[in-house]
Amino acid sequence: MNRAAELERLDSVLVDGEAIAVSMVVGTAGVGKTSLALHWAHRVRDRFPDGQLYANMRGYDPGLPVTATQVLDRFLRSLDVPPTAIPSELDEMAAMFRSLLADRRMLVFLDNAATVGQVRPLLPGTVGCLVVVTSRSRLSGLFVRDGAHRVSLDVLTAEQAVALLRAVTAGYRAEDNEVELFELARLCARLPLALRIAAERAVRRHRIPLGELVEDLRDESGLWDALSTGDDEESDAVRTAFAWSYRALTADSARLFRLLGLHPGPEFSAEAAAALAGIRGGQAKQQLDILAGVHLVEQSGSDRYQFHDLLRTYATDQARDEESSEERAEVLGRILDWYLHTADSVQVAVNPAEPRVQLVPADVSVVPLTFSDQESALGWFETERANLVAAVQAAAAAGLSRIAWQLAVVLRGTYLAVMPVDDWFVTSEIGLREARKLGDRAAEAQLLESLAMVCYRARRLADSEQYYGRTLEVCHELGDRFGEALAQNGLGLLCFERRDFIAARHAYEISMTVMRELGEVYWEALAAANLAQVALESDALEEARRLVLWALDSYRAQGIRVSEGHALYLLAMIQREQGDLAGAMHSIEQALSQARELSSRAREAYWLIELGRILRLQGRPEDSLTASQRAAVLQRQQGDRGREAQAWDCTGEAYMALGRPSEAADFHRLAVAVHREQADRWQLALSLNHLAYALHAAGEAVEARRHWTEAAALLVTFPDPKARRLHEEVVRRST
């Protein structure tokens, strides 16, 4: 369509190669906002060499709109931030996003935003980046407060509308009468969405005179007029075009179209459509191609389809009008079952050691997907993440409480590996509510434990402790010893974080004993490995060695390579503390070899830090420096700033061993800054001590004493013997 004037107005935001921060395209539904903005974005892509980010905010879909947190999570992953490094709080996510875009020139496209609140956290605040927003609302807050440039999009002129009709029907209807084309445009209210649907219908019936088609559409319009209030001419025209095209479909295509209106998520695959309709995948693909051909659905990617929000509403209305409530419930049950059982297959591939939910077999017409490897399973999960959250929400809204809580629990196993914290909170909270509605105490315990774990991963340690405590209460009431042992292991993790090693030991020992009695070999070994860490930090080195060797043998017998590597890493630390540097080197090299075989860059990065320590103690500071710097680079790529800081700290120690204290101090300062920012008091105390040593060696005694004083104030808060010994040493240095 010819939108030259509007394109010129969008071009005006680019001034001397730089961009205004925000540009909005606003207008009524179906007026072509997205098409225009996408066309313009493609036209100016060379101005933004670092790429484009796109999110459909779904502000006008029947379901819940997309939140800024969800979009930031997706954007940060697109910018290669590892899932484990993505903050859980909106403000922190927004700050990370702004930081990553600070030196880039990118275009951020936020489609179908309904409110300023959806948009504002997604603004990069960088001169070289531009945010393009489309909305039916005028979003005056962005205009007034953020200086947004606004382009208001009106319906096409009569001439533009006819030009669009001729473009779509070119080669099929060259002889159409101009007057009739203008009438067709009028009946479509000159809205591009309605015009394209009407034009496609005219192409498919190109042997019928346009006058007959116009009369047919006029009759349809008259029917709709009789059913509507007449307050919204544009909306009526769009629905008229929808109805005109819908009634021309075959029975099978029309049925799939209206059933797709019951799909809980924003987009869908052919397999999902097949499950929804209870048909074979090939049939669904054929019908989807037909629907895409007449513009009733849009193909959004390889085997991915979506509705324009107006068409989704229309499809949902048709399903409500033409399907009984029993049929609609059956359809929703089928698609939710498909997501539940396919998500279960993902957990099997991604995290098989986690407890499984006993599922009710799916309907014979539902064919869930299965996965042969972790990569394909995670690929499906990432593609369907929004749909999986929507499925939990839809199940709860429909009163399908069993499916809601089961899907929430099934997702936990994959969330552990992928860490979408916001999704994890949402689904677990819904699942807990639905389990309580059913009075299912066992399900309630599983959801409480899930919330405890996500709080632990999100560093909400007080909340995590409360959830674990409640989990223990419910499991005790039920006599669920496995659940109690799992919760005790979680409480052990929390105590270890606080360096309360007496409480951590007690929790881990309970967990290990119960898991042994239950015959849960994997979980017994995991608790033993955790207990070995407590023993190591408590200077009980022989006990630590015995426990970790037992866990290592167990992991090897079970064939769990990742856990075997972790046990070897712990063994290397124990051997280093015992002075067995040759044994420590052998263990850490085995661990690193397994990390590389499994393509686990995160584990390789962390275990390289231990390699650096061992090399330094062996009198090989140059090699230690290489390992530590390699660890820091990998940690930077993984986005784990805390462990990157540990690698910088190890780098500083290597420089000290090389007799270069000024350079050592520079790296210790980097570590101190990050640990301070992350409020990691133990690592901060260690890095402050190292920094003080380097400064003292460099002749800066006053500054060194200042850092030792701060380190002493931190160390006195920890109750363990290692912290007390280090505190005494630091106090001597600071006075």
Side-chain angles (χ1 to χ4, degrees):
M1 83 194 86
N2 181 10
R3 292 284 199 179
E6 289 85 354
L7 289 169
E8 286 181 11
R9 292 188 62 194
L10 285 170
D11 284 339
S12 69
V13 305
L14 302 176
V15 181
D16 297 328
E18 299 295 336
I20 291 174
V22 187
S23 185
M24 300 185 295
V25 180
V26 301
T28 190
V31 79
K33 300 181 295 295
T34 300
S35 295
L36 175 71
L38 284 173
H39 175 71
W40 182 79
H42 180 75
R43 224 171 63 158
V44 300
R45 65 187 183 281
D46 292 343
R47 299 284 193 107
F48 303 96
D50 295 313
Q52 301 181 3
L53 296 169
Y54 172 86
N56 188 338
M57 308 303 292
R58 305 196 179 278
Y60 304 96
D61 278 15
L64 294 174
V66 175
T67 66
T69 302
Q70 291 169 319
V71 175
L72 282 169
D73 182 89
R74 190 161 68 248
F75 281 177
L76 291 171
R77 289 167 192 257
S78 298
L79 294 168
D80 297 324
V81 178
T84 52
I86 296 175
S88 58
E89 299 298 325
L90 175 60
D91 289 346
E92 294 176 14
M93 295 172 81
M96 178 181 284
F97 181 60
R98 289 192 296 271
S99 175
L100 288 171
L101 264 59
D103 299 319
R104 307 193 196 199
R105 295 183 59 81
M106 297 191 75
L107 189 146
V108 180
F109 191 158
L110 306 177
D111 201 13
N112 295 315
T115 66
V116 172
Q118 274 187 298
V119 173
R120 187 162 281 137
L122 306 173
L123 302 182
T126 303
V127 174
C129 293
L130 172 66
V131 179
V132 177
V133 183
T134 69
S135 180
R136 295 183 200 172
S137 305
R138 293 181 61 80
L139 301 181
S140 297
L142 290 180
F143 182 77
V144 174
R145 176 175 159 184
D146 301 284
H149 177 269
R150 186 161 56 199
V151 175
S152 296
L153 206 59
D154 201 354
V155 298
L156 298 175
T157 66
E159 291 74 17
Q160 288 173 329
V162 169
L164 175 58
L165 289 171
R166 285 205 181 279
V168 176
T169 60
Y172 293 91
R173 310 192 63 98
E175 304 303 322
D176 281 344
N177 182 281
E178 191 84 0
V179 173
E180 292 170 341
L181 284 169
F182 274 98
E183 177 62 9
L184 182 58
R186 185 192 69 78
L187 289 169
C188 293
R190 306 198 305 276
L191 285 166
L193 178 61
L195 286 164
R196 288 187 181 280
I197 290 173
E200 190 61 43
R201 176 83 185 278
V203 166
R204 288 177 176 267
R205 303 185 66 184
H206 62 274
R207 297 186 184 279
I208 298 176
L210 185 61
E212 290 186 27
L213 294 177
V214 168
E215 194 60 37
D216 191 16
L217 181 56
R218 189 181 288 117
D219 290 344
E220 187 71 52
S221 177
L223 175 62
W224 183 251
D225 286 345
L227 298 174
S228 67
T229 63
D231 292 336
D232 190 344
E233 178 185 351
E234 292 165 349
S235 176
D236 291 352
V238 170
R239 292 183 67 93
T240 295
F242 293 170
W244 192 50
S245 188
Y246 170 69
R247 291 179 188 177
L249 294 171
T250 64
D252 288 342
S253 297
R255 177 175 181 269
L256 181 60
F257 171 80
R258 61 180 177 265
L259 295 188
L260 287 169
L262 303 176
H263 184 275
E267 60 176 29
F268 39 85
S269 64
E271 292 93 345
L276 191 80
I279 58 179
R280 295 190 304 275
Q283 289 176 289
K285 182 69 170 67
Q286 183 181 31
Q287 298 301 333
L288 284 167
D289 287 343
I290 291 171
L291 294 174
V294 295
H295 298 289
L296 291 180
V297 299
E298 306 167 12
Q299 187 156 7
S300 55
S302 178
D303 190 39
R304 304 297 295 176
Y305 301 85
Q306 65 182 12
F307 278 120
H308 186 285
D309 52 357
L310 293 178
L311 277 161
R312 175 184 288 277
T313 300
Y314 181 76
T316 305
D317 288 346
Q318 298 312 117
R320 190 177 298 113
D321 292 342
E322 299 184 41
E323 305 287 339
S324 67
S325 58
E326 292 80 8
E327 288 169 327
R328 295 197 303 274
E330 185 178 321
V331 168
L332 182 61
R334 277 199 303 266
I335 188 61
L336 294 178
D337 254 355
W338 184 80
Y339 277 116
L340 173 61
H341 285 268
T342 302
D344 182 60
S345 296
V346 172
Q347 182 194 325
V348 170
V350 172
N351 214 339
E354 288 298 312
R356 297 276 302 282
V357 178
Q358 190 66 42
L359 302 179
V360 176
D363 186 90
V364 292
S365 64
V366 175
V367 184
L369 301 179
T370 57
F371 305 94
S372 59
D373 55 62
Q374 186 178 97
E375 184 178 2
S376 60
L378 285 175
W380 181 88
F381 173 81
E382 284 294 345
T383 301
E384 296 285 352
R385 263 183 58 193
N387 285 336
L388 289 163
V389 175
V392 175
Q393 292 168 330
L400 300 174
S401 297
R402 176 188 61 81
I403 292 179
W405 79 254
Q406 286 186 339
L407 183 51
V409 173
V410 166
L411 289 171
R412 173 197 176 279
T414 306
Y415 287 159
L416 276 167
V418 181
M419 279 301 293
V421 171
D422 192 53
D423 292 357
W424 194 346
F425 273 120
V426 169
T427 55
S428 296
E429 286 170 347
I430 293 173
L432 178 61
R433 185 174 66 243
E434 296 306 304
R436 285 172 169 166
K437 281 183 183 178
L438 293 174
D440 190 328
R441 301 281 280 164
E444 180 182 352
Q446 292 180 73
L447 270 306
L448 285 167
E449 192 279 335
S450 182
L451 283 163
M453 181 55 73
V454 67
C455 287
Y456 170 73
R457 290 294 188 94
R459 307 293 298 170
R460 288 169 44 179
L461 302 185
D463 291 338
S464 179
E465 186 169 18
Q466 288 186 354
Y467 279 122
Y468 274 127
R470 185 68 184 128
T471 304
L472 275 176
E473 291 175 12
V474 176
C475 288
H476 182 71
E477 291 171 15
L478 295 173
D480 177 5
R481 300 185 69 215
F482 176 84
E484 286 186 85
L486 200 61
Q488 287 287 358
N489 186 73
L491 286 171
L493 295 173
L494 293 171
C495 294
F496 189 85
E497 284 283 334
R498 294 193 292 263
R499 297 186 70 80
D500 184 352
F501 297 135
I502 294 174
R505 174 185 289 276
H506 179 66
Y508 288 145
E509 284 177 342
I510 292 173
S511 181
M512 193 169 96
T513 300
V514 173
M515 292 302 185
R516 181 186 300 125
E517 291 172 357
L518 295 175
E520 295 285 352
V521 181
Y522 167 78
W523 293 100
E524 181 187 0
L526 184 143
N530 287 340
L531 193 54
Q533 282 191 280
V534 171
L536 170 61
E537 289 297 311
S538 303
D539 292 335
L541 299 183
E542 280 304 320
E543 179 193 12
R545 183 186 180 93
R546 175 179 56 80
L547 285 164
V548 82
L549 286 173
W550 183 87
L552 179 60
D553 288 341
S554 179
Y555 288 141
R556 283 173 172 165
Q558 296 173 71
I560 304 176
R561 297 293 301 283
V562 171
S563 298
E564 180 184 343
H566 178 66
L568 285 164
Y569 161 70
L570 293 177
L571 179 59
M573 288 198 295
I574 295 164
Q575 291 167 321
R576 170 173 56 80
E577 288 289 316
Q578 291 179 318
D580 179 10
L581 297 183
M585 179 61 71
H586 179 68
S587 297
I588 200 63
E589 285 179 337
Q590 282 185 284
L592 285 165
S593 176
Q594 290 193 5
R596 288 161 186 151
E597 286 176 22
L598 296 169
S599 299
S600 178
R601 302 291 289 277
R603 290 180 177 87
E604 180 186 359
Y606 193 41
W607 298 344
L608 275 168
I609 298 173
E610 179 60 24
L611 175 63
R613 295 189 186 109
I614 296 166
L615 287 166
R616 179 170 49 79
L617 291 173
Q618 285 183 329
R620 299 162 59 186
E622 295 89 350
D623 293 335
S624 174
L625 185 62
T626 299
S628 302
Q629 290 179 330
R630 170 67 175 160
V633 170
L634 288 176
Q635 295 291 7
R636 171 66 60 87
Q637 293 172 353
Q638 296 298 307
D640 192 327
R641 299 192 67 221
R643 288 182 174 177
E644 182 185 354
Q646 291 182 45
W648 290 137
D649 204 48
C650 192
T651 301
E653 290 186 278
Y655 273 116
M656 275 293 289
L658 287 166
R660 296 157 66 178
S662 294
E663 289 162 282
D666 289 339
F667 283 97
H668 290 315
R669 284 192 184 96
L670 288 172
V672 164
V674 174
H675 292 319
R676 194 187 303 283
E677 179 186 321
Q678 297 197 332
D680 189 332
R681 295 183 303 117
W682 175 249
Q683 291 297 334
L684 175 58
L686 296 181
S687 294
L688 284 166
N689 181 39
H690 295 153
L691 174 58
Y693 268 110
L695 290 168
H696 191 270
E700 299 181 48
V702 173
E703 189 178 355
R705 281 196 297 274
R706 181 168 62 82
H707 292 305
W708 268 320
T709 300
E710 184 182 357
L714 289 166
L715 289 165
V716 77
T717 65
F718 294 106
D720 61 286
K722 182 181 288 188
R724 287 199 296 271
R725 284 199 308 273
L726 185 57
H727 175 259
E728 291 170 4
E729 176 187 331
V730 166
V731 168
R732 284 196 304 271
R733 292 280 179 177
S734 65
T735 56

